[in-house]
């Protein structure tokens, strides 16, 4: 047994030799765990430089080159192979690369005991504001009717009310919905919004709870859906809700395709009750070639572009959350799995 007294007594060379033997024997048996982040998304290459710049001490690995899964402590995911996260035994936090997390909450896809963080980001909100303001103004200023008149070489001025005479209703007043509500109110629209709990946004009337959903819809000329997709909101925009809109109203849906009962929407457009549907999200994406939305004269299809996550601003906020995790501070923007967002 090598006691402290004997250790001091041995020569410098003997100490160095003994230390060398000790390291060879034990250090090689104990694997040195390096912290790694697994990235899984079809646009992973756009994220890699920004993640690497934001967190120099974390190794960024892109699926399927994941290496030893025991080293993975963080995962940034959008498209995700079925069981990979369940195999990462040391996983600490999962970051969604988008605002919506509905697809990640499909049963069994991500381990339910690991915190899941969603994107809340100014650039994401700004892009959504641009999409929504553009869409509302296009309906409000009758752009689609003038385009149709142009096809027929018709010169016919159509009356456009003032923005203050147009009632806009937003379903969902989270980060995106409230940014859009404020921007539309600043332009002068008569804006109201509906959410589960009451919200206070300047110049925006707040409706909340089940009882106030239909009253919000009944006072709305342009309905915008920015709800999270949950079992409670799936198929919410159905025949009954569409029938509650005033005749001639329009729908803008950058939320999720599964909020809308497509058959009911087509019926409301065909009967003339609804004027236009501007759809950016669909039940199946890409929208199948044979889908009636493609050729419907009063449906405007965009390919899920309303807003996109920008790695320039989101990578630093992922790094900040990792820093918070390591210093035992509460994480930001953690999904409440009981609410589904
Ligand atoms: C998102 C999306 O949820 O792109 O961020 O749809």
């Amino acid at each position: 047994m090598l006691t402290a007294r004997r250790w001091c007594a041995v020569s410098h060379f003997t100490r160095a030799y003994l230390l060398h033997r000790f390291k060879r024997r034990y250090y090689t048996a104990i694997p040195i765990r390096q912290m790694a982040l697994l990235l899984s998304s079809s646009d992973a290459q756009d994220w890699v430089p920004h993640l690497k710049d934001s967190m120099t001490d974390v190794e960024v690995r892109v699926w399927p080159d994941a290496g030893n899964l025991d080293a993975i402590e963080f995962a940034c995911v959008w498209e995700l192979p079925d069981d990979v996260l369940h195999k990462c035994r040391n996983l600490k936090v999962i970051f969604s690369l988008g605002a919506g997390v509905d697809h990640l909450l499909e049963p069994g896809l991500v381990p339910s005991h690991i915190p899941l963080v969603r994107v809340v980001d100014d650039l994401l909100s700004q892009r959504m504001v641009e999409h929504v303001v553009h869409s509302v103004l296009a309906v409000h200023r009758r752009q689609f009717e003038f385009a149709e008149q142009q096809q027929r070489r018709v010169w016919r001025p159509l009356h456009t009310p003032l923005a203050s005479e147009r009632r806009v209703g937003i379903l969902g007043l989270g980060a995106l919905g409230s940014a859009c509500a404020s921007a539309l109110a600043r332009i002068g629209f008569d804006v109201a919004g509906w959410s589960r709990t009451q919200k206070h946004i300047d110049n925006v009337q707040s409706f909340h709870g089940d009882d106030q959903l239909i009253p919000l819809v009944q006072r709305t000329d342009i309905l915008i859906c920015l709800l999270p997709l949950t079992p409670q909101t799936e198929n919410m925009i159905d025949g009954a809700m569409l029938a509650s809109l005033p005749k001639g109203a329009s729908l803008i849906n950058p939320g999720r395709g599964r909020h809308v009962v497509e058959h009911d929407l087509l019926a409301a457009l065909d009967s003339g009750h609804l004027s236009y549907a501007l759809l950016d999200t669909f039940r199946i994406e890409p929208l199948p070639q044979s889908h009636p939305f493609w050729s419907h004269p009063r449906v405007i299809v965009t390919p899920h572009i309303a807003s996109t996550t920008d790695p320039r601003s989101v990578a630093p906020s992922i790094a900040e959350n990792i820093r918070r995790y390591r210093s035992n501070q509460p994480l930001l923007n953690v999904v409440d799995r009981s609410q589904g967002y």
Side-chain angles (χ1 to χ4, degrees):
M1 178 75 173
L2 189 60
T3 61
R5 206 142 50 89
R6 284 201 203 157
W7 177 248
C8 294
V10 294
S11 76
H12 172 75
F13 292 108
T14 313
R15 269 192 237 167
Y17 173 72
L18 289 173
L19 266 175
H20 169 74
R21 296 245 345 233
F22 177 82
K23 280 186 188 166
R24 275 197 54 185
R25 179 152 178 201
Y26 292 106
Y27 279 25
T28 49
I30 302 167
I32 298 170
R33 216 154 47 82
Q34 188 177 9
M35 192 162 41
L37 176 150
L38 180 63
L39 175 61
S40 173
S41 177
S42 57
D43 60 354
Q45 290 319 320
D46 297 341
W47 283 87
V48 170
H50 298 282
L51 288 170
K52 284 188 172 166
D53 281 358
S54 312
M55 47 189 97
T56 45
D57 53 347
V58 179
E59 186 193 342
V60 177
R61 301 180 185 176
V62 180
W63 180 261
D65 294 327
N68 174 9
L69 293 181
D70 283 354
I72 305 291
E73 294 196 32
F74 306 101
C76 293
V77 295
W78 191 246
E79 292 89 0
L80 182 67
D82 265 4
D83 57 351
V84 60
L85 294 188
H86 292 277
K87 294 184 186 152
C88 301
R89 291 181 305 172
N90 294 307
L91 190 61
K92 305 291 190 306
V93 187
I94 304 166
F95 296 93
S96 162
L97 293 179
V101 289
D102 40 284
H103 66 299
L104 297 177
L105 293 179
E106 291 294 334
L109 187 59
V110 303
S112 55
H113 61 289
I114 311 269
L116 173 63
V117 171
R118 70 198 171 95
V119 171
V120 176
D121 175 57
D122 287 349
L123 298 189
L124 187 82
S125 300
Q126 175 57 27
R127 285 199 169 92
M128 186 57 83
V129 166
E130 290 174 14
H131 175 84
V132 166
V133 167
H134 170 258
S135 305
V136 168
L137 284 172
V139 173
H140 171 62
R141 298 294 309 195
R142 308 183 76 162
Q143 179 186 319
F144 308 114
E145 289 150 278
F146 290 122
E148 191 270 323
Q149 289 193 169
Q150 184 176 347
Q151 295 284 322
R152 294 184 291 118
R153 298 172 185 253
V154 171
W155 181 277
R156 186 168 146 243
L158 300 171
H159 170 71
T160 302
L162 285 169
S164 57
E165 296 163 325
R166 193 76 87 178
R167 297 164 301 172
V168 177
I170 303 185
L171 298 177
L173 289 175
L176 298 176
S178 50
C180 292
S182 298
L184 290 164
R186 278 199 299 276
I187 297 173
F189 286 103
D190 179 356
V191 185
W194 179 86
S195 46
R196 207 169 42 84
T197 55
Q198 186 160 23
K199 296 284 156 66
H200 299 280
I201 305 169
D202 284 351
N203 303 317
V204 176
Q205 205 185 333
S206 168
F207 290 68
H208 63 99
D210 291 345
D211 296 349
Q212 294 183 12
L213 178 58
I214 291 303
L216 174 283
V217 174
Q218 285 168 335
R219 53 80 65 208
T220 291
D221 302 313
I222 302 177
L223 183 67
I224 301 159
C225 175
L226 280 167
L227 289 164
L229 181 65
T230 67
Q232 289 72 38
T233 64
E234 181 161 10
N235 297 324
M236 195 181 217
I237 305 179
D238 60 2
M241 179 179 283
L242 294 169
S244 304
L245 286 165
K247 185 169 165 40
S250 291
L251 170 70
I252 297 170
N253 185 19
R256 284 287 185 262
R258 280 160 59 194
H259 285 127
V260 178
V261 179
E262 293 185 345
H263 178 268
D264 292 358
L265 174 59
L266 286 165
L269 288 162
D270 291 340
S271 72
H273 183 71
L274 205 66
S275 291
Y276 290 96
L278 284 66
L279 308 176
D280 185 59
T281 54
F282 303 89
R283 300 189 91 90
I284 302 175
E285 295 182 5
L287 186 63
Q289 287 295 311
S290 59
H291 200 287
F293 285 159
W294 282 116
S295 54
H296 197 287
R298 279 179 293 115
V299 174
I300 287 83
V301 170
T302 49
H304 202 140
I305 45 70
S307 189
T308 45
T309 315
D310 196 322
R312 288 174 302 177
S313 55
V314 175
S317 66
I318 291 172
E320 165 61 11
N321 250 338
I322 290 179
R323 188 199 62 72
R324 293 175 80 95
Y325 176 81
R326 284 164 164 176
S327 50
N328 286 324
Q329 286 174 269
L331 296 173
L332 304 173
N333 307 317
V334 176
V335 171
D336 176 349
R337 282 175 157 99
S338 67
Q339 301 292 350
Y341 56 93

